[in-house]
Amino acid sequence: MLRTGRIFQSATAARVPLRTTGRVRMLNTSPTPAKQVVKTDRMRSTAFIRKDLLGEKHVRSGTATSVNMANANPIYYEKQPKLHVEALNARTAITEHAGKIMQIDSNFLQGIGKEHYPGYLGNDFKLFGVPALLYRKCTQDLVDQFNAYKEQGPKRASVLNGKNGIGKSAELMKLASVAASSGCIVIYAHSTVSWVNSSRPYAPQSHSDQFTQLEITSGLLRSIDAVSRDALKKVPLGKAFAIGKRNLSEEHTLADLVSFGIHTPALAHDVLEHFLDLASTQTQVPVLMAIDEVNTFWCSTLYRDQQDQILPAGRLRLIRSLLPFFEGQKSVAKGWVLGATSYVNPRFMPKDLNKKLNPPPAVPLANPELASNPKLLASQPSLPFDIIKMSELTAVEAWVLMHFYHRMNIVSAPVTKDLVAKKWMMSSGNPRQLFAGVTTFI
């Protein structure tokens, strides 16, 4: 007599292959008590366990892998020494300090947050144990240029350009730190790839072809407030206007405007646009707009519209608010609009922009008659902004970096002229490649 009830089949037996004799192996169809069945908890998954809680030691390969020294064998690895490094701020950003290792201002780092370090700098700072960078001569040049623009800003923006790993993001971050410590209004975006790679929420705006990104926009307002709160309080609005149901009088300051946008995320875009108009035209406090990975402003995003068509970056309202400053349509009365390119993800570097940023070298014609013919001369690509080409490390700067790595126990071998010359030539003066050359086997 057959027993009724649920029949459980052995998973192991079900995977047994058939024999060539043609006889089929009997499967275990005996009922299993319910209390012996272990149900899978589908509310938990090891895929969502934080990897840093596992305490694994990651192997560094190249430049993109972080290093976790928590479980490092003390026989082979020494602890990070406590190194005193002078802070980089408006007072210490002087020519005499060029070629020294300096620490990014702690107030600026607290304002942007530890998770907002550009590029690989977050991993580097963990390895160093201190957020320190080399204060280069090109850093001093940028600081001097910004100080000159404090009286009257240029009509065109500038963009740092150079090979991947040359230090564009680091220079932009150092300049933003100096500007914030000097009491300027700093609009700093450490990464804009997250604005276009469809990793953050977006929504179509009614009666417009634009798309809103309220979360990103309110986060940018929080960063502006945290870094430049004291400077914002010095600038009155100068006129009364209404945003939503809130009326702001002319006695209110930019700090009140930004605070309203932070606490009312639904109106974050409106607040940001009003803020940019007021901050760029006022003359009380200089402004530094520092946008990293600015090439994303002209790319095709990974977002799609209602017709499943790819959205160009210009249709995102956040980017459309900032884009006129890099296309020569808007400028700041006092201060500087500065950006930096990124070649880490070619997906967000438009090909036509890449050709204009890196035109092929012109070959001079030997025949003077042909060389003077305007029809044979290649036209220079036109860009709406000025290009600042980043320079490679000098031999002296490479020497300073190698000594710093040695003091931080990253380089165990004695630092000699031959070692520095070898690493410097192998990296072609690229700071990221130099760092990768001494940390490959960590």
Side-chain angles (χ1 to χ4, degrees):
M1 181 175 180
L2 296 176
R3 295 180 59 186
T4 61
R6 185 175 182 181
I7 305 300
F8 294 87
Q9 179 174 307
S10 173
T12 305
R15 290 194 296 267
V16 175
L18 297 179
R19 300 295 183 184
T20 55
T21 57
R23 301 177 60 182
V24 181
R25 182 176 179 176
M26 295 293 295
L27 302 179
N28 183 13
T29 59
S30 59
T32 304
K35 63 180 181 179
Q36 296 182 5
V37 178
V38 180
K39 296 183 178 181
T40 304
D41 185 3
R42 301 194 181 276
M43 299 300 294
R44 295 174 58 118
S45 174
T46 56
F48 296 96
I49 297 178
R50 288 180 55 186
K51 299 296 189 258
D52 55 350
L53 298 179
L54 302 179
E56 297 180 354
K57 175 187 169 186
H58 303 287
V59 178
R60 189 177 189 90
S61 176
T63 61
T65 311
S66 62
V67 181
N68 182 6
M69 304 296 292
N71 296 335
N73 192 330
I75 299 178
Y76 303 103
Y77 297 97
E78 298 181 6
K79 293 183 179 179
Q80 297 172 342
K82 295 183 179 180
L83 188 64
H84 174 72
V85 182
E86 190 170 5
L88 175 62
N89 49 47
R91 180 182 58 83
T92 59
I94 56 179
T95 306
E96 288 74 11
H97 288 164
K100 292 185 178 181
I101 302 295
M102 305 191 73
Q103 181 177 344
I104 304 298
D105 186 68
S106 58
N107 294 328
F108 175 76
L109 294 179
Q110 185 177 2
I112 65 174
K114 293 183 178 180
E115 68 278 5
H116 292 159
Y117 293 143
Y120 306 124
L121 291 182
N123 297 330
D124 298 347
F125 293 162
K126 289 181 181 179
L127 183 62
F128 299 157
V130 58
L133 293 169
L134 175 63
Y135 189 75
R136 302 175 58 186
K137 181 182 180 301
C138 60
T139 312
Q140 184 62 45
D141 294 339
L142 292 176
V143 172
D144 293 339
Q145 191 67 66
F146 176 67
N147 291 333
Y149 288 148
K150 286 183 178 180
E151 297 300 325
Q152 183 177 359
K155 297 300 181 182
R156 288 162 55 96
S158 301
V159 172
L160 301 177
N161 187 46
K163 296 180 180 179
N164 185 29
I166 201 65
K168 303 180 293 294
S169 298
E171 297 304 321
L172 199 67
M173 183 181 186
K174 285 183 282 187
L175 180 61
S177 175
V178 173
S181 63
S182 64
C184 299
I185 297 175
V186 177
I187 307 168
Y188 175 68
H190 77 288
S191 173
T192 57
V193 168
S194 60
W195 299 4
V196 297
N197 64 0
S198 73
S199 62
R200 309 292 287 275
Y202 77 118
Q205 183 176 349
S206 58
H207 309 293
S208 174
D209 66 337
Q210 303 180 41
F211 285 75
T212 60
Q213 296 171 296
L214 300 178
E215 179 185 335
I216 302 178
T217 307
S218 59
L220 180 60
L221 290 174
R222 286 193 297 269
S223 174
I224 296 172
D225 178 70
V227 174
S228 313
R229 184 176 296 112
D230 294 337
L232 296 175
K233 295 179 180 178
K234 299 179 182 178
V235 183
L237 298 182
K239 60 179 180 179
F241 55 87
I243 301 181
K245 296 181 179 180
R246 176 69 183 275
N247 294 320
L248 297 174
S249 64
E250 59 182 9
E251 286 80 15
H252 283 94
T253 63
L254 289 181
D256 300 321
L257 177 62
V258 173
S259 178
F260 173 70
I262 295 174
H263 294 91
T264 315
L267 299 175
H269 283 286
D270 297 305
V271 171
L272 179 63
E273 291 169 357
H274 279 88
F275 168 76
L276 292 175
D277 290 338
L278 295 173
S280 61
T281 55
Q282 57 84 30
T283 57
Q284 288 93 334
V285 181
V287 178
L288 174 65
M289 182 183 295
I291 309 297
D292 205 352
E293 300 173 345
V294 72
N295 47 278
T296 58
F297 284 14
W298 295 275
C299 75
S300 297
T301 71
L302 298 184
Y303 292 108
R304 291 181 177 270
D305 60 10
Q306 298 91 326
Q307 289 74 35
D308 198 30
Q309 300 297 318
I310 296 177
L311 285 178
R315 290 185 62 185
L316 299 177
R317 188 175 177 182
L318 173 57
I319 292 181
R320 184 173 290 188
S321 302
L322 299 170
L323 189 59
F325 291 93
F326 289 93
E327 291 190 338
Q329 302 169 7
K330 292 183 179 181
S331 61
V332 293
K334 286 188 175 182
W336 199 8
V337 178
L338 184 64
T341 59
S342 174
Y343 296 89
V344 175
N345 194 335
R347 170 68 178 78
F348 302 111
M349 171 58 78
K351 292 183 179 180
D352 55 343
L353 178 62
N354 190 9
K355 292 180 180 179
K356 293 180 180 179
L357 290 171
N358 306 285
V363 179
L365 299 176
N367 192 327
E369 295 181 359
L370 296 178
S372 60
N373 189 344
K375 296 182 180 180
L376 299 178
L377 296 177
S379 59
Q380 295 295 328
S382 59
L383 289 169
F385 49 79
D386 298 327
I387 301 176
I388 300 177
K389 186 177 181 180
M390 291 291 299
S391 59
E392 291 79 8
L393 289 172
T394 64
V396 176
E397 292 172 341
W399 175 268
V400 175
L401 279 178
M402 290 294 293
H403 271 279
F404 173 69
Y405 297 154
H406 181 71
R407 293 169 64 187
M408 302 306 299
N409 294 328
I410 298 175
V411 176
S412 58
V415 178
T416 62
K417 292 183 179 180
D418 293 338
L419 177 62
V420 174
K422 177 182 177 181
K423 296 295 183 181
W424 179 52
M425 289 186 294
M426 291 179 62
S427 63
S428 300
N430 187 294
R432 176 54 46 184
Q433 294 182 12
L434 177 67
F435 180 76
V438 299
T439 59
T440 302
F441 300 103
I442 292 182

PDB file of all heavy atoms in Angstrom, residues 115-137:
ATOM      1  N   GLU A 115      35.245  58.800   2.392  1.00  0.00           N
ATOM      2  CA  GLU A 115      34.840  57.999   1.235  1.00  0.00           C
ATOM      3  C   GLU A 115      34.885  58.793  -0.061  1.00  0.00           C
ATOM      4  O   GLU A 115      34.585  58.255  -1.129  1.00  0.00           O
ATOM      5  CB  GLU A 115      33.421  57.452   1.447  1.00  0.00           C
ATOM      6  CG  GLU A 115      32.319  58.489   1.440  1.00  0.00           C
ATOM      7  CD  GLU A 115      32.156  59.197   2.769  1.00  0.00           C
ATOM      8  OE1 GLU A 115      32.973  58.936   3.673  1.00  0.00           O
ATOM      9  OE2 GLU A 115      31.216  60.008   2.897  1.00  0.00           O
ATOM     10  N   HIS A 116      35.273  60.051  -0.005  1.00  0.00           N
ATOM     11  CA  HIS A 116      35.277  60.906  -1.181  1.00  0.00           C
ATOM     12  C   HIS A 116      36.688  61.268  -1.628  1.00  0.00           C
ATOM     13  O   HIS A 116      36.907  62.355  -2.148  1.00  0.00           O
ATOM     14  CB  HIS A 116      34.462  62.179  -0.920  1.00  0.00           C
ATOM     15  CG  HIS A 116      32.995  61.921  -0.758  1.00  0.00           C
ATOM     16  ND1 HIS A 116      32.146  62.792  -0.115  1.00  0.00           N
ATOM     17  CD2 HIS A 116      32.235  60.873  -1.161  1.00  0.00           C
ATOM     18  CE1 HIS A 116      30.918  62.291  -0.128  1.00  0.00           C
ATOM     19  NE2 HIS A 116      30.952  61.128  -0.756  1.00  0.00           N
ATOM     20  N   TYR A 117      37.627  60.380  -1.417  1.00  0.00           N
ATOM     21  CA  TYR A 117      38.968  60.591  -1.940  1.00  0.00           C
ATOM     22  C   TYR A 117      38.976  60.255  -3.429  1.00  0.00           C
ATOM     23  O   TYR A 117      38.376  59.262  -3.855  1.00  0.00           O
ATOM     24  CB  TYR A 117      39.991  59.715  -1.223  1.00  0.00           C
ATOM     25  CG  TYR A 117      40.209  60.081   0.228  1.00  0.00           C
ATOM     26  CD1 TYR A 117      40.425  59.099   1.183  1.00  0.00           C
ATOM     27  CD2 TYR A 117      40.196  61.403   0.640  1.00  0.00           C
ATOM     28  CE1 TYR A 117      40.635  59.421   2.509  1.00  0.00           C
ATOM     29  CE2 TYR A 117      40.402  61.733   1.965  1.00  0.00           C
ATOM     30  CZ  TYR A 117      40.617  60.745   2.900  1.00  0.00           C
ATOM     31  OH  TYR A 117      40.820  61.075   4.212  1.00  0.00           O
ATOM     32  N   PRO A 118      39.646  61.034  -4.234  1.00  0.00           N
ATOM     33  CA  PRO A 118      39.647  60.751  -5.677  1.00  0.00           C
ATOM     34  C   PRO A 118      40.573  59.601  -6.030  1.00  0.00           C
ATOM     35  O   PRO A 118      41.608  59.386  -5.383  1.00  0.00           O
ATOM     36  CB  PRO A 118      40.155  62.069  -6.271  1.00  0.00           C
ATOM     37  CG  PRO A 118      41.003  62.667  -5.201  1.00  0.00           C
ATOM     38  CD  PRO A 118      40.361  62.277  -3.898  1.00  0.00           C
ATOM     39  N   GLY A 119      40.200  58.877  -7.079  1.00  0.00           N
ATOM     40  CA  GLY A 119      41.062  57.832  -7.624  1.00  0.00           C
ATOM     41  C   GLY A 119      41.469  56.795  -6.602  1.00  0.00           C
ATOM     42  O   GLY A 119      40.657  56.271  -5.840  1.00  0.00           O
ATOM     43  N   TYR A 120      42.791  56.512  -6.588  1.00  0.00           N
ATOM     44  CA  TYR A 120      43.334  55.518  -5.674  1.00  0.00           C
ATOM     45  C   TYR A 120      43.894  56.144  -4.396  1.00  0.00           C
ATOM     46  O   TYR A 120      44.541  55.459  -3.606  1.00  0.00           O
ATOM     47  CB  TYR A 120      44.461  54.733  -6.363  1.00  0.00           C
ATOM     48  CG  TYR A 120      44.066  54.118  -7.684  1.00  0.00           C
ATOM     49  CD1 TYR A 120      44.774  54.399  -8.846  1.00  0.00           C
ATOM     50  CD2 TYR A 120      42.985  53.263  -7.755  1.00  0.00           C
ATOM     51  CE1 TYR A 120      44.410  53.840 -10.064  1.00  0.00           C
ATOM     52  CE2 TYR A 120      42.608  52.701  -8.964  1.00  0.00           C
ATOM     53  CZ  TYR A 120      43.328  52.986 -10.118  1.00  0.00           C
ATOM     54  OH  TYR A 120      42.964  52.424 -11.302  1.00  0.00           O
ATOM     55  N   LEU A 121      43.668  57.422  -4.183  1.00  0.00           N
ATOM     56  CA  LEU A 121      44.284  58.089  -3.042  1.00  0.00           C
ATOM     57  C   LEU A 121      43.785  57.532  -1.721  1.00  0.00           C
ATOM     58  O   LEU A 121      44.529  57.518  -0.736  1.00  0.00           O
ATOM     59  CB  LEU A 121      44.022  59.592  -3.110  1.00  0.00           C
ATOM     60  CG  LEU A 121      44.729  60.348  -4.239  1.00  0.00           C
ATOM     61  CD1 LEU A 121      44.424  61.833  -4.155  1.00  0.00           C
ATOM     62  CD2 LEU A 121      46.231  60.122  -4.169  1.00  0.00           C
ATOM     63  N   GLY A 122      42.542  57.084  -1.670  1.00  0.00           N
ATOM     64  CA  GLY A 122      42.037  56.500  -0.434  1.00  0.00           C
ATOM     65  C   GLY A 122      42.836  55.284  -0.017  1.00  0.00           C
ATOM     66  O   GLY A 122      43.196  55.114   1.156  1.00  0.00           O
ATOM     67  N   ASN A 123      43.147  54.405  -0.974  1.00  0.00           N
ATOM     68  CA  ASN A 123      43.955  53.220  -0.681  1.00  0.00           C
ATOM     69  C   ASN A 123      45.380  53.606  -0.312  1.00  0.00           C
ATOM     70  O   ASN A 123      46.002  52.986   0.567  1.00  0.00           O
ATOM     71  CB  ASN A 123      43.963  52.278  -1.891  1.00  0.00           C
ATOM     72  CG  ASN A 123      42.580  51.760  -2.217  1.00  0.00           C
ATOM     73  OD1 ASN A 123      41.729  51.611  -1.336  1.00  0.00           O
ATOM     74  ND2 ASN A 123      42.332  51.474  -3.478  1.00  0.00           N
ATOM     75  N   ASP A 124      45.914  54.612  -0.987  1.00  0.00           N
ATOM     76  CA  ASP A 124      47.275  55.058  -0.674  1.00  0.00           C
ATOM     77  C   ASP A 124      47.361  55.609   0.741  1.00  0.00           C
ATOM     78  O   ASP A 124      48.312  55.321   1.475  1.00  0.00           O
ATOM     79  CB  ASP A 124      47.726  56.120  -1.676  1.00  0.00           C
ATOM     80  CG  ASP A 124      47.787  55.597  -3.092  1.00  0.00           C
ATOM     81  OD1 ASP A 124      47.724  54.360  -3.268  1.00  0.00           O
ATOM     82  OD2 ASP A 124      47.893  56.404  -4.027  1.00  0.00           O
ATOM     83  N   PHE A 125      46.371  56.406   1.133  1.00  0.00           N
ATOM     84  CA  PHE A 125      46.388  56.992   2.469  1.00  0.00           C
ATOM     85  C   PHE A 125      46.289  55.918   3.551  1.00  0.00           C
ATOM     86  O   PHE A 125      46.877  56.050   4.630  1.00  0.00           O
ATOM     87  CB  PHE A 125      45.251  57.999   2.622  1.00  0.00           C
ATOM     88  CG  PHE A 125      45.413  59.226   1.761  1.00  0.00           C
ATOM     89  CD1 PHE A 125      44.338  60.051   1.479  1.00  0.00           C
ATOM     90  CD2 PHE A 125      46.646  59.561   1.229  1.00  0.00           C
ATOM     91  CE1 PHE A 125      44.487  61.187   0.701  1.00  0.00           C
ATOM     92  CE2 PHE A 125      46.814  60.687   0.428  1.00  0.00           C
ATOM     93  CZ  PHE A 125      45.728  61.496   0.174  1.00  0.00           C
ATOM     94  N   LYS A 126      45.537  54.850   3.282  1.00  0.00           N
ATOM     95  CA  LYS A 126      45.471  53.749   4.240  1.00  0.00           C
ATOM     96  C   LYS A 126      46.835  53.078   4.388  1.00  0.00           C
ATOM     97  O   LYS A 126      47.235  52.693   5.492  1.00  0.00           O
ATOM     98  CB  LYS A 126      44.430  52.720   3.781  1.00  0.00           C
ATOM     99  CG  LYS A 126      42.989  53.191   3.906  1.00  0.00           C
ATOM    100  CD  LYS A 126      42.032  52.102   3.461  1.00  0.00           C
ATOM    101  CE  LYS A 126      40.581  52.583   3.557  1.00  0.00           C
ATOM    102  NZ  LYS A 126      39.631  51.533   3.094  1.00  0.00           N
ATOM    103  N   LEU A 127      47.514  52.933   3.275  1.00  0.00           N
ATOM    104  CA  LEU A 127      48.832  52.306   3.322  1.00  0.00           C
ATOM    105  C   LEU A 127      49.843  53.205   4.026  1.00  0.00           C
ATOM    106  O   LEU A 127      50.679  52.728   4.799  1.00  0.00           O
ATOM    107  CB  LEU A 127      49.303  51.998   1.899  1.00  0.00           C
ATOM    108  CG  LEU A 127      50.648  51.275   1.748  1.00  0.00           C
ATOM    109  CD1 LEU A 127      50.582  49.909   2.416  1.00  0.00           C
ATOM    110  CD2 LEU A 127      51.011  51.110   0.286  1.00  0.00           C
ATOM    111  N   PHE A 128      49.751  54.499   3.789  1.00  0.00           N
ATOM    112  CA  PHE A 128      50.669  55.441   4.439  1.00  0.00           C
ATOM    113  C   PHE A 128      50.352  55.600   5.925  1.00  0.00           C
ATOM    114  O   PHE A 128      51.244  55.840   6.731  1.00  0.00           O
ATOM    115  CB  PHE A 128      50.597  56.822   3.775  1.00  0.00           C
ATOM    116  CG  PHE A 128      50.984  56.837   2.330  1.00  0.00           C
ATOM    117  CD1 PHE A 128      50.539  57.842   1.485  1.00  0.00           C
ATOM    118  CD2 PHE A 128      51.797  55.840   1.792  1.00  0.00           C
ATOM    119  CE1 PHE A 128      50.886  57.857   0.150  1.00  0.00           C
ATOM    120  CE2 PHE A 128      52.143  55.848   0.453  1.00  0.00           C
ATOM    121  CZ  PHE A 128      51.683  56.856  -0.373  1.00  0.00           C
ATOM    122  N   GLY A 129      49.076  55.503   6.267  1.00  0.00           N
ATOM    123  CA  GLY A 129      48.667  55.806   7.623  1.00  0.00           C
ATOM    124  C   GLY A 129      48.474  57.281   7.854  1.00  0.00           C
ATOM    125  O   GLY A 129      48.142  57.711   8.962  1.00  0.00           O
ATOM    126  N   VAL A 130      48.656  58.107   6.822  1.00  0.00           N
ATOM    127  CA  VAL A 130      48.497  59.546   6.922  1.00  0.00           C
ATOM    128  C   VAL A 130      48.152  60.073   5.527  1.00  0.00           C
ATOM    129  O   VAL A 130      48.703  59.601   4.529  1.00  0.00           O
ATOM    130  CB  VAL A 130      49.798  60.209   7.446  1.00  0.00           C
ATOM    131  CG1 VAL A 130      50.976  59.890   6.558  1.00  0.00           C
ATOM    132  CG2 VAL A 130      49.634  61.709   7.590  1.00  0.00           C
ATOM    133  N   PRO A 131      47.204  61.003   5.391  1.00  0.00           N
ATOM    134  CA  PRO A 131      46.833  61.543   4.070  1.00  0.00           C
ATOM    135  C   PRO A 131      47.863  62.551   3.580  1.00  0.00           C
ATOM    136  O   PRO A 131      47.634  63.769   3.574  1.00  0.00           O
ATOM    137  CB  PRO A 131      45.473  62.194   4.320  1.00  0.00           C
ATOM    138  CG  PRO A 131      45.510  62.588   5.759  1.00  0.00           C
ATOM    139  CD  PRO A 131      46.336  61.550   6.454  1.00  0.00           C
ATOM    140  N   ALA A 132      49.014  62.068   3.163  1.00  0.00           N
ATOM    141  CA  ALA A 132      50.128  62.925   2.768  1.00  0.00           C
ATOM    142  C   ALA A 132      50.408  62.784   1.282  1.00  0.00           C
ATOM    143  O   ALA A 132      50.300  61.692   0.713  1.00  0.00           O
ATOM    144  CB  ALA A 132      51.378  62.579   3.572  1.00  0.00           C
ATOM    145  N   LEU A 133      50.789  63.900   0.653  1.00  0.00           N
ATOM    146  CA  LEU A 133      51.143  63.937  -0.756  1.00  0.00           C
ATOM    147  C   LEU A 133      52.353  64.842  -0.944  1.00  0.00           C
ATOM    148  O   LEU A 133      52.698  65.641  -0.064  1.00  0.00           O
ATOM    149  CB  LEU A 133      49.967  64.463  -1.596  1.00  0.00           C
ATOM    150  CG  LEU A 133      48.720  63.582  -1.670  1.00  0.00           C
ATOM    151  CD1 LEU A 133      47.564  64.351  -2.308  1.00  0.00           C
ATOM    152  CD2 LEU A 133      48.993  62.302  -2.424  1.00  0.00           C
ATOM    153  N   LEU A 134      52.975  64.700  -2.088  1.00  0.00           N
ATOM    154  CA  LEU A 134      54.136  65.527  -2.409  1.00  0.00           C
ATOM    155  C   LEU A 134      53.666  66.896  -2.887  1.00  0.00           C
ATOM    156  O   LEU A 134      52.844  67.008  -3.805  1.00  0.00           O
ATOM    157  CB  LEU A 134      54.981  64.850  -3.490  1.00  0.00           C
ATOM    158  CG  LEU A 134      56.174  65.650  -4.021  1.00  0.00           C
ATOM    159  CD1 LEU A 134      57.193  65.906  -2.921  1.00  0.00           C
ATOM    160  CD2 LEU A 134      56.817  64.930  -5.205  1.00  0.00           C
ATOM    161  N   TYR A 135      54.191  67.939  -2.258  1.00  0.00           N
ATOM    162  CA  TYR A 135      53.904  69.309  -2.691  1.00  0.00           C
ATOM    163  C   TYR A 135      54.896  69.650  -3.797  1.00  0.00           C
ATOM    164  O   TYR A 135      56.047  70.001  -3.540  1.00  0.00           O
ATOM    165  CB  TYR A 135      54.026  70.280  -1.515  1.00  0.00           C
ATOM    166  CG  TYR A 135      53.537  71.675  -1.818  1.00  0.00           C
ATOM    167  CD1 TYR A 135      52.175  71.952  -1.904  1.00  0.00           C
ATOM    168  CD2 TYR A 135      54.433  72.718  -2.016  1.00  0.00           C
ATOM    169  CE1 TYR A 135      51.716  73.228  -2.178  1.00  0.00           C
ATOM    170  CE2 TYR A 135      53.985  73.999  -2.287  1.00  0.00           C
ATOM    171  CZ  TYR A 135      52.634  74.246  -2.370  1.00  0.00           C
ATOM    172  OH  TYR A 135      52.184  75.516  -2.642  1.00  0.00           O
ATOM    173  N   ARG A 136      54.423  69.561  -5.033  1.00  0.00           N
ATOM    174  CA  ARG A 136      55.302  69.700  -6.186  1.00  0.00           C
ATOM    175  C   ARG A 136      55.391  71.165  -6.639  1.00  0.00           C
ATOM    176  O   ARG A 136      54.625  72.025  -6.168  1.00  0.00           O
ATOM    177  CB  ARG A 136      54.785  68.843  -7.340  1.00  0.00           C
ATOM    178  CG  ARG A 136      54.648  67.365  -7.002  1.00  0.00           C
ATOM    179  CD  ARG A 136      54.020  66.595  -8.140  1.00  0.00           C
ATOM    180  NE  ARG A 136      54.784  66.734  -9.370  1.00  0.00           N
ATOM    181  CZ  ARG A 136      54.386  66.258 -10.551  1.00  0.00           C
ATOM    182  NH1 ARG A 136      53.216  65.640 -10.649  1.00  0.00           N
ATOM    183  NH2 ARG A 136      55.130  66.425 -11.620  1.00  0.00           N
ATOM    184  N   LYS A 137      56.294  71.412  -7.552  1.00  0.00           N
ATOM    185  CA  LYS A 137      56.420  72.751  -8.120  1.00  0.00           C
ATOM    186  C   LYS A 137      55.166  73.124  -8.903  1.00  0.00           C
ATOM    187  O   LYS A 137      54.707  74.275  -8.858  1.00  0.00           O
ATOM    188  CB  LYS A 137      57.643  72.831  -9.027  1.00  0.00           C
ATOM    189  CG  LYS A 137      57.864  74.221  -9.637  1.00  0.00           C
ATOM    190  CD  LYS A 137      59.056  74.236 -10.566  1.00  0.00           C
ATOM    191  CE  LYS A 137      59.249  75.635 -11.154  1.00  0.00           C
ATOM    192  NZ  LYS A 137      58.062  76.084 -11.915  1.00  0.00           N
TER     193      LYS A 137
END
